[in-house]
Amino acid sequence: MDVSIEDLRLRAKRRLPRTLFEFIDGGAQDERTLRANTGDFDRWLMVPQQCVDVSQRPLGTTILGKAATLPLVIAPTGMAGLFRRKGELQAARAARAAGIPYTLSTMASVTIEEVGRDAAASAGDLWFQLYVQKDRGLTRSLVERAKAAGFRVLAVTIDLQQQGQRERDVRNGLTIPPRITLANMLDMTRRLPWIADVLLGPRLTFANFEGTANEKKGLTTLSKHINASFDPALTWADIAAFKQLWGGPVAVKGVLSAEDARRAVDAGCDGVIVSNHGGRQLDCVPSAVAALPGIVDAVAGRAEVIVDGGVRRGSDVIKALALGARACMIGRAMLWGLASGGEAGVGRTLQILKGQIDNGLALLGRPGIASLDRTALAPVDAYAPQAESGRNQRAY
Ligand SMILES: Cc1cc2nc3c(=O)[nH]c(=O)nc-3n(C[C@H](O)[C@H](O)[C@H](O)COP(=O)(O)O)c2cc1C
């Protein structure tokens, strides 16, 4: 029985080829930001208040104008079909069943239209994540296709001018599609269920680019595709233009400073997603949770602030909400569920986080997520023995 997100991670580790497990697990260069994303949640403590009636603890909210049963959004993750056949569809169905939004990546292994046509997925709240291409005609057509397929929110990722240097992937020789080589053969012989499900399934491609000049036929690496096709000339003026083109809620994903958050609001964005891409882009940038409070203050209610990076526990979600986030996006936590158990596995991820948020609220003395604010937290330094004389010191 998997009772924590870490349990799902370990199950995913047993099922996936090592190269793919590390593709999910890893980050850029020394992975300092990757570690900080999880570690910096420990810089906040939760301070319970007792004897509060917590018999009702509603977890529902609205996210960018639509009701959600939990303050969670599935983050966009490219090529989820690497981990389970048509992984994006399975995750979208699980999100719909749980009542939260699902974000489809531009780099998905299934097309925008396939998700839009799938009754079990499209009944939910679908968001489309856009990577702006040098070919702006192609970019425009991606946006128009998402609109036509029924996607509600456009999330433009702005932190991928080039791919970050993910050294594990280079060392492992990760290719799309993956291949069996002399170096990984022994490892592959222990992954037969994955081979049957993914490698022997339909050919893995960047499905949304099929039939375009950006289509990559045969083996490629992610960085080759990205560095050849993605537009490093993207500016805030483009973001304002996407807002006009989309005509619905637009969020930018990859904001780490108060200044950029204000620029996003000025460009007309409805949502600001505080994110360092899960520590996979520029290393040594602030963790998501460290960047969050300053951005919440700068936005000052003019847009919704969503945060991702390092969310592994319900307590992480509680802390993010207490710091002013509307919701958290989950990337790896979802992928570990997907890799380990497909649609049901993603359902398990969401169930685990839901149970932990609910339990956390009860024990924190907060009757529902709407009652969370910064008074629920204290910086860990406030409890350091030298912080104050007398108060807060343990009397042993
Ligand atoms: C395997 C993988 C693929 C990803 N692909 C994308 C993508 O296609 N587009 C995007 O905006 N972010 C992508 N991300 C970043 C996630 O959307 C999200 O920002 C990050 O995973 C959050 O951190 P967490 O994994 O600690 O939850 C990817 C992350 C992972 C782990």
Side-chain angles (χ1 to χ4, degrees):
M1 173 82 164
D2 301 307
V3 297
S4 69
I5 299 301
E6 179 62 13
D7 290 345
L8 291 173
R9 177 176 171 275
L10 294 177
R11 190 179 292 277
K13 188 173 188 178
R14 290 193 290 275
R15 194 171 193 281
L16 291 175
R18 198 174 60 87
T19 300
L20 291 185
F21 176 74
E22 294 215 337
F23 171 56
I24 298 176
D25 223 37
Q29 294 187 351
D30 293 312
E31 303 185 337
R32 292 169 200 225
T33 296
L34 174 74
R35 285 190 296 278
N37 272 350
T38 46
D40 282 358
F41 276 106
D42 294 339
R43 290 167 60 181
W44 292 103
L45 298 176
M46 297 192 287
V47 186
Q49 48 187 15
Q50 317 294 10
C51 298
V52 173
D53 178 354
V54 287
S55 50
Q56 302 294 320
R57 299 179 298 279
L59 304 183
T61 185
T62 62
I63 310 176
L64 295 177
K66 189 158 175 159
T69 53
L70 290 170
L72 295 176
V73 179
I74 301 286
T77 56
M79 294 306 289
L82 285 169
F83 316 120
R84 281 279 171 161
R85 188 181 297 191
K86 296 199 183 290
E88 291 87 356
L89 271 185
Q90 300 202 43
R93 289 175 188 159
R96 204 268 315 158
I100 64 162
Y102 172 77
T103 314
L104 181 74
S105 166
T106 293
M107 302 293 279
S109 70
V110 300
T111 61
I112 294 167
E113 289 75 16
E114 198 170 352
V115 177
R117 270 196 311 269
D118 186 272
S122 63
D125 188 13
L126 293 178
W127 297 15
F128 179 66
Q129 176 266 319
L130 179 69
Y131 279 134
V132 177
Q133 308 290 300
K134 286 179 191 160
D135 179 344
R136 292 302 180 94
L138 171 61
T139 308
R140 196 185 169 94
S141 90
L142 287 168
V143 172
E144 285 166 353
R145 286 169 58 190
K147 189 93 200 163
F151 285 72
R152 189 180 70 87
V153 173
L154 182 70
V156 186
T157 297
I158 56 173
D159 60 6
L160 218 109
Q161 298 83 349
Q162 288 198 339
Q163 200 192 37
Q165 296 183 320
R166 306 174 193 161
E167 297 179 2
R168 296 202 219 186
D169 295 346
V170 179
R171 284 193 199 100
N172 289 333
L174 174 70
T175 56
I176 313 287
R179 60 197 162 141
I180 299 181
T181 63
L182 217 54
N184 69 19
M185 197 165 320
L186 192 64
D187 180 57
M188 285 289 190
T189 59
R190 292 159 39 210
R191 319 293 174 193
L192 296 180
W194 174 83
I195 290 177
D197 180 41
V198 174
L199 217 50
L200 301 181
R203 193 172 68 97
L204 275 164
T205 61
F206 304 120
N208 288 317
F209 295 99
E210 270 171 36
T212 73
N214 291 31
E215 180 175 6
K216 294 284 171 292
K217 297 210 166 85
L219 279 185
T220 188
T221 64
L222 262 182
S223 59
K224 262 195 202 143
H225 177 90
I226 288 168
N227 296 346
S229 316
F230 288 26
D231 196 350
L234 177 72
T235 65
W236 290 107
D238 296 312
I239 302 295
F242 285 124
K243 172 67 189 167
Q244 295 299 317
L245 178 64
W246 184 250
V250 169
V252 278
K253 177 170 179 284
V255 173
L256 286 174
S257 71
E259 294 74 25
D260 272 354
R262 285 191 207 99
R263 289 183 190 112
V265 172
D266 292 344
C269 291
D270 309 274
V272 170
I273 305 174
V274 180
S275 172
N276 51 42
H277 216 103
R280 300 163 78 79
Q281 284 299 100
L282 183 60
D283 199 13
C284 302
V285 299
S287 69
V289 68
L292 176 65
I295 291 175
V296 167
D297 294 344
V299 167
R302 291 174 296 156
E304 289 184 9
V305 178
I306 297 168
V307 63
D308 76 20
V311 174
R312 308 286 182 266
R313 285 272 176 200
S315 57
D316 300 333
V317 179
I318 289 176
K319 291 176 188 178
L321 264 55
L323 292 171
R326 187 85 182 179
C328 295
M329 276 188 157
I330 50 166
R332 293 181 181 84
M334 177 278 289
L335 288 177
W336 292 325
L338 178 69
S340 58
E343 182 180 339
V346 178
R348 185 71 193 133
T349 292
L350 297 175
Q351 205 181 22
I352 288 171
L353 290 175
K354 180 180 178 180
Q356 292 176 350
I357 298 169
D358 180 60
N359 178 256
L361 287 172
L363 299 180
L364 190 57
R366 297 282 169 161
I369 57 170
S371 68
L372 286 170
D373 56 23
R374 290 188 191 177
T375 64
L377 305 182
V380 70
D381 292 346
Y383 287 80
Q386 71 278 19
E388 282 176 70
S389 56
R391 259 184 67 200
N392 294 336
Q393 290 203 350
R394 296 194 190 106
Y396 288 117

